[in-house]
Amino acid sequence: LQGVSNRRIRCNVMPVRAFTAPTISGDAVRQQEEYGSNQIQVLEGLDAVRKRPGMYIGSTGSRGLHHLVNEILDNAIDEAQAGFASRIEVVLYPDNSVRITDDGRGIPTDLHPATQKSSLETVLTVLHAGGKFGGSSSGYSVSGGLHGVGLSVVNALSETLEVKVWRNGMEHTQKYSRGKPVTKLVSRKLPADMEDLRGTCIHFWPDKEGKSFFTSEIEYDYNTIAGRVRELAFLNPKVTIALEKEHSNPEKRLSNEYSYAGGLSEYVAWLNQDKKPLHEVVAFRKEADGILIDLALQWCSDAYSDTLLGYANSIRTVDGGTHIDGVKASLTRTLNNLGKKSKVFKEKDIILSGEHVREGLACVISVKVSNPEFEGQTKTRLGNPEVRKVVDHSVQEFLTEYLELHPDVLHAVLAKSLNALKAALAAKKSRELVRQKSGLRSSSLPGKLAECSSRNPEESGI
């Protein structure tokens, strides 16, 4: 390195910044040092819900706001699943209050022996109080509610909540505010022509002081609630659900009534209404080991992704769970076995993955479990390990029998799955080729050995 010593080497030195740690006030330091019994807080009643609402409704945004509606709606559906309700009405008012009415048995109103309050006030003001904990003393064999907190959480997060119960020829009413009763339980005898009326009506106004826990504007979206109502109607064919949105302008009023006698078969047909199905909707309903399985599926030729929806006790498990895992495993294994057995696979080493098998598939599975294990109060995932085994075996048994009796459907589904496999292999080769080319371009080869970039022979010769 000749001449280096004669050259002036210029170094750019970055100035050093002094970073200072944030200071803590003397009062805060003393408070931390003096941590003792005075700093241990005990939240009574529903104060914990108002302090940390996200723990109970999943979010303090729009999703959590709509979850309040789902909690009351799920209670009404539980009455329908138990066979005591056939009609549910949901009304959205201009002041963003919601009224939900069902024709079920009605919440009990007699004195509860443990709380010495009416059972109605108990379930509205006490966490983990309800009739859905299972066992001989439970009021439901199957339910979406499990923890006994849904109704009391809605009450805690409502500026006002009014409840009406019709039972045994009587009407019982009571009013609450932010989780606390503001009136006593009032009972009156129904007129003779209304003595057979029964059910529960919950009308609530989300707390407008909600800026302390709701981060979004308090406004309910009709389409969001309609989506939930529609799927509940598909899942419960014997129930009619009416949804209405009131408005001062008659032209802006919205209403619809949802009732689907076809159940999940009609659900899958609705999902595929704008697609080209390879076959008719395939569905079965079976009870095994105390678990009721209801499934419908259909492959479409012009779809290249899958739609796999799972429900447990009519609760949408958006994060999947053991019932979804059972369906996926069974579909993959069954189609691979039938592909080899029917000799559709020309090559012995062909193995279809779950992704290839489910391409173009729309499938809905609903399970009814007496003691479901959900993850958290918002119930986004089912965790019962026994459900996977039962679902896996039931789906394989049904699908094998159906496809063996309908070889044309089997060949159509396998052909689509094989095309998906071929497309995946071709895409993989294409990606590898692109990576090889980009690797050559970025390599530090001498100019004469670099990849040719001109079609002119005079410029491309070595």
Side-chain angles (χ1 to χ4, degrees):
L1 298 175
Q2 297 179 355
V4 172
S5 59
N6 297 328
R7 296 177 185 175
R8 180 178 293 178
I9 300 175
R10 304 177 67 181
C11 298
N12 295 325
V13 180
M14 296 293 292
V16 179
R17 290 186 181 181
F19 292 94
T20 57
T23 58
I24 302 176
S25 65
D27 292 340
V29 171
R30 279 193 296 273
Q31 188 176 13
Q32 291 177 0
E33 291 177 349
E34 296 173 0
Y35 176 62
S37 299
N38 293 335
Q39 280 73 41
I40 303 297
Q41 300 181 38
V42 178
L43 301 177
E44 299 288 345
L46 299 178
D47 293 340
V49 179
R50 294 181 64 81
K51 188 71 174 178
R52 297 286 185 265
M55 174 181 174
Y56 298 91
I57 59 176
S59 165
T60 54
S62 177
R63 184 166 62 90
L65 186 66
H66 287 80
H67 187 78
L68 299 180
V69 178
N70 293 342
E71 286 286 4
I72 306 301
L73 192 54
D74 289 344
N75 286 341
I77 287 295
D78 285 341
E79 280 291 294
Q81 290 182 144
F84 298 106
S86 60
R87 183 175 178 83
I88 300 169
E89 296 178 354
V90 182
V91 182
L92 311 178
Y93 290 98
D95 60 355
N96 283 309
S97 67
V98 182
R99 177 169 59 84
I100 299 176
T101 310
D102 67 70
D103 61 352
R105 292 169 291 183
I107 301 173
T109 57
D110 53 333
L111 191 69
H112 194 277
T115 62
Q116 293 302 306
K117 304 175 183 177
S118 71
S119 295
L120 178 63
E121 185 175 334
T122 299
V123 299
L124 276 159
T125 59
V126 179
L127 289 175
H128 308 294
K132 303 171 184 177
F133 291 107
S136 57
S137 61
S138 174
Y140 301 83
S141 59
V142 168
S143 67
L146 297 174
H147 310 124
V149 302
L151 186 53
S152 54
V153 165
V154 175
N155 190 20
L157 300 180
S158 296
E159 179 183 2
T160 304
L161 184 145
E162 296 176 352
V163 57
K164 290 184 180 181
V165 176
W166 301 283
R167 282 173 66 97
N168 305 321
M170 300 289 290
E171 180 184 75
H172 311 274
T173 60
Q174 195 170 15
K175 189 174 181 179
Y176 295 79
S177 178
R178 299 184 176 98
K180 302 183 185 299
V182 294
T183 66
K184 293 184 178 180
L185 181 65
V186 178
S187 303
R188 72 178 183 91
K189 189 174 179 60
L190 289 169
D193 59 337
M194 297 177 64
E195 284 184 350
D196 295 334
L197 184 64
R198 66 175 193 174
T200 302
C201 174
I202 303 289
H203 190 176
F204 68 94
W205 288 255
D207 198 343
K208 291 180 181 177
E209 289 185 1
K211 290 182 180 179
S212 60
F213 40 77
F214 285 124
T215 57
S216 64
E217 183 180 356
I218 297 179
E219 183 176 357
Y220 284 106
D221 180 60
Y222 178 86
N223 293 328
T224 299
I225 296 175
R228 176 60 179 158
V229 166
R230 182 187 296 108
E231 65 183 8
L232 286 172
F234 279 127
L235 293 164
N236 300 274
K238 297 180 180 179
V239 180
T240 299
I241 308 178
L243 175 61
E244 182 180 355
K245 181 177 183 179
E246 295 283 353
H247 200 281
S248 56
N249 184 351
E251 295 182 357
K252 293 185 177 181
R253 289 179 182 173
L254 300 171
S255 64
N256 206 344
E257 199 165 274
Y258 300 86
S259 179
Y260 302 100
L264 296 192
S265 295
E266 202 167 344
Y267 194 177
V268 171
W270 179 79
L271 290 172
N272 289 336
Q273 59 185 332
D274 57 346
K275 299 183 178 70
K276 297 177 182 178
L278 285 172
H279 56 91
E280 62 182 9
V281 177
V282 180
F284 80 95
R285 187 182 180 90
K286 178 182 178 181
E287 185 171 357
D289 296 340
I291 300 171
L292 181 62
I293 303 166
D294 199 358
L295 179 138
L297 55 83
Q298 185 181 51
W299 276 272
C300 294
S301 60
D302 58 343
Y304 302 97
S305 61
D306 66 308
T307 302
L308 187 51
L309 306 179
Y311 299 85
N313 295 1
S314 294
I315 303 294
R316 170 78 186 279
T317 50
V318 293
D319 294 332
T322 51
H323 54 328
I324 296 291
D325 295 340
V327 171
K328 289 181 176 179
S330 185
L331 285 172
T332 305
R333 185 175 60 256
T334 301
L335 285 179
N336 273 295
N337 290 343
L338 291 176
K340 294 174 183 177
K341 185 177 178 180
S342 62
K343 298 182 179 179
V344 173
F345 295 169
K346 303 300 181 183
E347 301 176 22
K348 293 182 180 180
D349 57 346
I350 289 181
I351 299 178
L352 296 172
S353 70
E355 183 181 353
H356 307 141
V357 165
R358 296 192 304 273
E359 183 180 284
L361 172 68
C363 176
V364 181
I365 180 169
S366 171
V367 295
K368 302 289 176 66
V369 189
S370 57
N371 289 299
E373 298 173 5
F374 291 109
E375 294 185 4
Q377 168 59 19
T378 51
K379 308 181 181 82
T380 57
R381 183 177 177 85
L382 183 67
N384 296 65
E386 71 276 9
V387 172
R388 171 171 178 151
K389 180 180 178 181
V390 173
V391 170
D392 189 333
H393 178 73
S394 299
V395 172
Q396 181 179 2
E397 183 181 0
F398 168 77
L399 202 58
T400 300
E401 181 180 355
Y402 177 84
L403 292 176
E404 285 181 342
L405 292 174
H406 300 80
D408 53 332
V409 176
L410 173 61
H411 289 146
V413 172
L414 287 175
K416 182 167 181 60
S417 300
L418 286 171
N419 285 336
L421 174 61
K422 292 176 182 177
L425 293 175
K428 182 180 178 181
K429 290 180 180 178
S430 178
R431 285 195 302 270
E432 291 175 350
L433 184 60
V434 169
R435 287 169 184 162
Q436 289 174 0
K437 288 185 176 180
S438 61
L440 286 172
R441 289 196 184 98
S442 61
S443 63
S444 56
L445 291 172
K448 289 187 176 182
L449 298 179
E451 185 179 10
C452 175
S453 59
S454 174
R455 294 182 179 275
N456 187 347
E458 295 179 359
E459 298 176 354
S460 304
I462 296 178

